[in-house]
């Protein structure tokens, strides 16, 4: 954005004056001085917001946190106390003590805010403060900061360039003033010419007014003639209106007679309808009574049936309990029978095994006896044969 002024021949020092935003610190000392200025500006802006924040402390308490809220409450208490002491200046020593505590409280509050920059920037857009002398002071302090920065960053050569530039500007202003004077003279001549044209037009307007007055006289005569013709037409219209009113009056009388006849007819019809209505109401009342009687009988029958149902339901519940007990006993008996049957089957199988074993033993024993007898016979036969041989 600064390229165009440089091409136009504006010195660097003058450029810094015209655009303070382009000024950059060029040493550690300058940066420290600017840091002090910036911190002071922030403290001034926070101090400006504190009364408004205290006035709506419940709204901002959650955003501020317990520590800052407690510090603001203490600051509010000391502010009220110092106001009371200023109203009654007898106790000077106490007032100085409270002032010192108030200053300490303000420093502590500013320290807490500076420790949380995001909170301060958020409150700048949340808190609305009316314009006050503090704003003028803060604005002047910011201008003083920019002026100090300009002075710190302006070298002697740049200062000379700025002075020379201001002298050139003064010469240019003088030339512009001469040009303005010439233009003013031209403007006065143009105004005089315009006034002459206005006077000429005023004369034309006077002539037109005279013509309009003559035209007004002619119009008045025409209006009188039109008024006469209008009165004549009005009389004719009044007569026609009277004749029409008479005809309408006859029509009204005829319609009134028709209306009376219709009223008599409708009254007779209304009487018939009233009789039908009374008869219908009696029938409805009769049906309602019959309905009430039937419903009372049905209600009694329903109550009897419900009582019988409840009794049978109780009996059914008792029978269900008995059935459950009997079912349990039946299951136990069936289980006992099953166990007895199993025992009987096991005993039968055991008896069958024993019978098979006994049969096998008996068969074995019979075989053994037969073999024993057969062997003894064979031995006896062999003995006899030997004796005969001898």
């Amino acid at each position: 954005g600064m390229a165009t002024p440089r091409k136009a021949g504006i010195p660097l020092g003058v450029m810094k004056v015209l655009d303070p935003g382009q000024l950059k610190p060029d040493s550690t000392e300058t940066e420290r001085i600017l840091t002090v200025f910036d911190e002071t500006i922030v403290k001034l802006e926070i101090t400006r917001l504190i009364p408004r924040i205290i006035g709506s402390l419940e709204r901002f308490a959650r955003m501020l946190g317990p520590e800052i809220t407690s510090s603001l409450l203490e600051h509010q208490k000391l502010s009220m106390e110092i106001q009371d002491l200023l109203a009654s200046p007898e106790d000077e020593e106490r007032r100085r003590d409270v002032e010192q505590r108030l200053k300490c409280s303000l420093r502590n509050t500013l320290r807490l805010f500076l420790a949380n920059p995001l909170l301060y920037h958020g409150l700048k857009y949340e808190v609305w403060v009316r314009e006050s002398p503090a704003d003028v002071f803060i604005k002047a302090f910011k201008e003083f900061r920019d002026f100090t920065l300009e002075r710190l960053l302006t070298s002697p050569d740049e200062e000379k360039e700025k002075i020379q530039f201001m002298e050139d500007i003064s010469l240019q202003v003088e030339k512009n003033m001469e040009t303005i004077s010439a233009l003013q003279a031209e403007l006065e001549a143009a105004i005089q010419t315009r006034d002459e044209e206005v006077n000429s037009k005023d004369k034309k307007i006077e002539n037109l007014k005279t013509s309009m007055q003559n035209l007004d006289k002619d119009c008045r005569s025409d209006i009188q003639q039109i008024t006469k013709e209008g009165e004549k037409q009005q009389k004719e219209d009044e007569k026609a209106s009277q004749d029409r009113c008479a005809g309408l009056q006859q029509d009204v009388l005829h319609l009134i007679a028709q209306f009376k006849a219709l009223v008599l007819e409708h009254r007779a019809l209304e009487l018939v309808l009233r009789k039908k209505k009374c008869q219908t109401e009696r029938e409805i009342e009769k049906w309602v009574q019959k309905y009430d009687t039937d419903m009372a009988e049905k209600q009694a029958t329903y109550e009897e049936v419900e009582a019988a149902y409840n009794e049978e339901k109780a009996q059914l519940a008792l029978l269900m309990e008995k059935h459950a007990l009997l079912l349990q006993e039946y299951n136990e008996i069936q289980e006992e029978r099953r166990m007895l049957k199993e025992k009987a089957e096991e005993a039968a199988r055991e008896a069958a095994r024993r019978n098979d074993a006994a049969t096998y033993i008996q068969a074995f024993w019979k075989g053994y006896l037969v073999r024993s007898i057969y062997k003894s016979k064979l031995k006896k036969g062999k003995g006899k044969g030997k004796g005969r041989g001898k």
Side-chain angles (χ1 to χ4, degrees):
M2 297 303 297
T4 303
R6 292 295 296 165
K7 289 180 180 179
I10 298 177
L12 179 61
V14 179
M15 287 170 58
K16 292 181 179 180
V17 175
L18 296 176
D19 190 2
Q22 298 293 329
L23 296 174
K24 302 287 183 182
D26 58 355
S27 65
T28 305
E29 290 78 6
T30 304
E31 290 181 355
R32 289 175 180 173
I33 293 170
L34 291 179
T35 301
V36 172
F37 273 111
D38 293 337
E39 288 182 356
T40 305
I41 291 170
V42 171
K43 290 179 181 179
L44 289 172
E45 291 180 344
I46 295 174
T47 305
R48 174 177 170 271
L49 296 178
I50 285 176
R52 184 63 178 177
I53 296 173
I54 292 175
S56 304
L57 197 56
E58 294 181 358
R59 174 187 171 194
F60 300 109
R62 186 174 181 182
M63 181 188 298
L64 296 172
E67 188 176 6
I68 297 178
T69 303
S70 176
S71 178
L72 289 174
L73 289 173
E74 178 66 21
H75 185 76
Q76 183 184 20
K77 180 181 177 183
L78 292 172
S79 299
M80 295 174 66
E81 187 174 353
I82 196 69
Q83 288 178 1
D84 295 338
L85 290 172
L86 289 174
S88 55
E90 290 83 7
D91 195 349
E92 184 68 21
E93 184 177 356
R94 184 185 173 193
R95 184 179 64 79
R96 286 197 296 271
D97 179 60
V98 174
E99 285 180 352
Q100 188 64 31
R101 287 163 56 198
L102 182 63
K103 292 176 182 178
C104 293
S105 172
L106 180 60
R107 283 197 295 270
N108 182 50
T109 303
L110 292 174
R111 178 181 59 79
L112 294 174
F113 273 105
L114 290 173
N116 192 350
L118 293 177
L119 175 63
Y120 159 65
H121 288 294
L123 288 172
K124 280 180 67 177
Y125 299 102
E126 288 288 335
V127 181
W128 178 81
V129 182
R130 293 181 179 177
E131 189 173 355
S132 63
D135 297 317
V136 179
F137 179 76
I138 292 172
K139 183 179 179 181
F141 194 83
K142 290 179 178 178
E143 292 175 355
F144 176 66
R145 181 255 188 204
D146 295 335
F147 176 75
T148 304
L149 176 60
E150 176 195 343
R151 297 293 297 171
L152 289 172
L153 299 181
T154 304
S155 62
D157 294 335
E158 291 173 347
E159 185 70 21
K160 291 179 181 179
E161 289 179 357
K162 183 177 70 172
I163 294 171
Q164 183 62 40
F165 178 76
M166 297 304 293
E167 290 177 355
D168 295 340
I169 291 293
S170 299
L171 293 174
Q172 185 66 36
V173 168
E174 290 178 1
K175 292 180 180 179
N176 291 338
M177 290 300 295
E178 292 176 358
T179 304
I180 290 170
S181 300
L183 291 173
Q184 285 180 346
E186 293 179 2
L187 177 62
E188 290 176 358
I191 291 172
Q192 185 176 1
T193 304
R194 187 199 62 183
D195 290 340
E196 292 176 355
E197 292 177 354
V198 168
N199 291 330
S200 175
K201 290 180 179 180
D202 287 340
K203 292 179 180 179
K204 291 180 179 180
I205 290 170
E206 289 294 333
N207 294 330
L208 290 172
K209 284 183 178 179
T210 304
S211 301
M212 289 179 66
Q213 289 176 356
N214 296 330
L215 182 62
D216 184 40
K217 292 178 181 179
D218 296 336
C219 288
R220 285 180 181 177
S221 60
D222 294 337
I223 289 170
Q224 289 178 356
Q225 183 177 359
I226 292 170
T227 302
K228 291 179 179 179
E229 293 178 355
E231 291 176 353
K232 180 179 178 182
Q233 183 67 35
Q234 182 180 3
K235 291 179 180 178
E236 293 177 355
D237 292 340
E238 286 180 355
K239 183 178 180 182
S241 177
Q242 290 175 357
D243 296 338
R244 187 176 179 186
C245 287
L248 291 173
Q249 188 68 28
Q250 293 295 327
D251 293 339
V252 168
L253 294 175
H254 180 66
L255 291 172
I256 290 173
Q258 289 181 351
F259 172 73
K260 290 180 179 179
L262 290 172
V263 167
L264 293 174
E265 182 181 353
H266 288 167
R267 284 180 180 174
L269 182 60
E270 181 183 2
L271 183 60
V272 174
L273 293 175
R274 283 181 181 275
K275 289 180 180 180
K276 288 184 179 180
K277 179 184 175 184
C278 293
Q279 184 178 359
T280 304
E281 289 177 351
R282 285 194 295 271
E283 290 179 358
I284 291 171
E285 185 177 358
K286 179 180 177 182
W287 281 106
V288 168
Q289 291 176 356
K290 184 178 179 182
Y291 171 79
D292 292 339
T293 305
D294 293 343
M295 290 304 295
E297 293 176 357
K298 291 180 179 180
Q299 182 66 26
T301 304
Y302 170 76
E303 291 176 356
E304 293 175 359
V305 171
E306 187 178 13
Y309 168 74
N310 291 332
E311 184 178 357
E312 291 178 358
K313 187 177 180 181
Q315 292 177 0
L316 177 61
L318 183 60
L319 291 173
M320 290 296 290
E321 292 178 0
K322 291 181 179 180
H323 176 267
L325 294 173
L326 291 173
L327 184 61
Q328 185 178 359
E329 292 177 0
Y330 172 76
N331 291 333
E332 291 176 356
I333 292 169
Q334 288 292 109
E335 184 65 21
E336 291 177 1
R337 287 181 179 179
R338 186 184 64 77
M339 294 177 66
L340 290 173
K341 184 179 179 181
E342 289 180 356
K343 288 180 179 180
E345 291 177 352
E346 184 65 26
R349 288 193 294 271
E350 185 65 25
R353 286 196 298 272
R354 289 178 180 177
N355 290 334
D356 292 341
T359 302
Y360 179 76
I361 293 169
Q362 288 175 0
F364 179 78
W365 177 252
K366 287 179 179 180
Y368 175 75
L369 290 176
V370 170
R371 287 193 298 272
S372 298
I373 294 169
Y374 182 70
K375 285 179 180 181
S376 64
K377 286 182 178 181
L378 288 176
K379 286 180 180 181
K380 287 179 180 181
K382 286 181 180 180
K384 291 179 178 182
K386 289 178 180 180
R388 287 174 181 178
K390 290 177 178 181

